[in-house]
Amino acid sequence: MSSGETFRLGVLGSGKGSNFVAIADAIAVGKIPAQVALVLSDAEKAGMLEHARTRTLPARFIPPGNFRTKLDEDAERAYVSALLEARVDWIVLAGFMRVLKGDFLRAFEGRIVNIHPSLLPSFPGLEAWKQALDHGVKVTGCTVHFVDAGVDSGPIIGQQTVPVLDDDTPETLHQRIQVAEHELYPRCVAALARGEVSVQGRRVVSRIG
Ligand code: GAR
């Protein structure tokens, strides 16, 4: 972190931005000692950008290039330079639906976190709530983890469980998981901002409030 300054977050997302809102609200009431330095999206119409602008936070759409599941090289460079220019200390992925690769990971090594809507390592990848329902598990949840070169595979910072109910649909289950996400993610980001998270190999020791 740049000395003498508040912990600066770069938030990346592709969707409606409810996790971003949970984090921004927690910052606003002093629960996370940090500031949102930049919000970036690969989707021009992402609700997250709108939420950021409503809060007068810097927010930009940066086109992702031609691939569907990752950023192309030019886009990757544009994302990294925007985040470096904004002097971001940590990257918070909040529903960013592209896998980050090489130069991006190197630029922010060990300083990227993500939230995933299942109890990892179960159900990595897309629509994890639907995977859980289709598999028939009775308990699922959400996971906040460090990002490494794999898909949803980095060291786990925190998890919260959610029961799967007999009459759940993919939508009702995802809604209930999101309620848990909005509790868990701000608590994990607060622990990071307070310097209360340390990584020992795959094991993360943290004081999540
Ligand atoms: C969240 O449920 C998040 O866990 C999921 O996308 C949703 C974004 O919602 N992320 C992934 O599936 C990443 N693999 P939001 O835009 O309302 O925060």
Side-chain angles (χ1 to χ4, degrees):
M1 178 170 122
S2 340
S3 65
E5 283 187 13
T6 326
F7 191 86
R8 296 170 70 82
L9 305 178
V11 184
L12 271 60
S14 310
K16 66 181 194 289
S18 66
N19 279 287
F20 162 69
V21 166
I23 289 167
D25 287 353
I27 290 174
V29 298
K31 287 189 181 163
I32 304 176
Q35 61 180 293
V36 176
L38 183 60
V39 174
L40 293 180
S41 183
D42 58 338
E44 200 163 12
K45 303 249 179 303
M48 191 184 69
L49 290 175
E50 216 35 61
H51 285 299
R53 288 175 186 137
T54 308
R55 289 167 168 74
T56 63
L57 294 168
R60 280 175 62 192
F61 158 64
I62 301 185
N66 292 324
F67 299 109
R68 216 169 41 84
T69 58
K70 62 176 188 174
L71 300 172
D72 75 14
E73 263 181 44
D74 287 346
E76 192 174 79
R77 254 193 300 277
Y79 275 75
V80 170
S81 50
L83 291 160
L84 291 176
E85 235 167 75
R87 293 179 294 112
V88 155
D89 299 300
W90 281 80
I91 308 294
V92 173
L93 303 183
F96 191 64
M97 301 312 282
R98 287 169 198 273
V99 179
L100 297 173
K101 304 268 181 193
D103 283 348
F104 194 112
L105 294 182
R106 274 187 289 279
F108 298 101
E109 204 180 342
R111 292 182 292 141
I112 310 173
V113 293
N114 180 44
I115 186 143
H116 184 76
S118 74
L119 295 176
L120 290 171
S122 291
F123 313 126
L126 294 177
E127 297 191 321
W129 59 89
K130 189 166 180 305
Q131 295 184 51
L133 202 57
D134 291 347
H135 195 90
V137 296
K138 303 298 182 197
V139 177
T140 184
C142 53
T143 302
V144 174
H145 64 95
F146 285 101
V147 172
D148 64 11
V151 175
D152 303 320
S153 56
I156 291 170
I157 302 168
Q159 293 188 301
Q160 194 157 318
T161 58
V162 171
V164 179
L165 307 181
D166 290 345
D167 58 355
D168 261 333
T169 63
E171 292 72 30
T172 59
L173 181 56
H174 189 210
Q175 272 167 21
R176 205 163 335 101
I177 291 171
Q178 288 228 285
V179 172
E181 291 184 335
H182 303 158
E183 292 169 13
L184 180 68
Y185 214 179
R187 286 165 51 220
C188 291
V189 175
L192 283 167
R194 289 194 298 261
E196 293 175 355
V197 176
S198 64
V199 190
Q200 294 154 14
R202 277 215 58 91
R203 297 192 62 183
V204 177
V205 178
S206 67
R207 262 192 278 153
I208 300 171

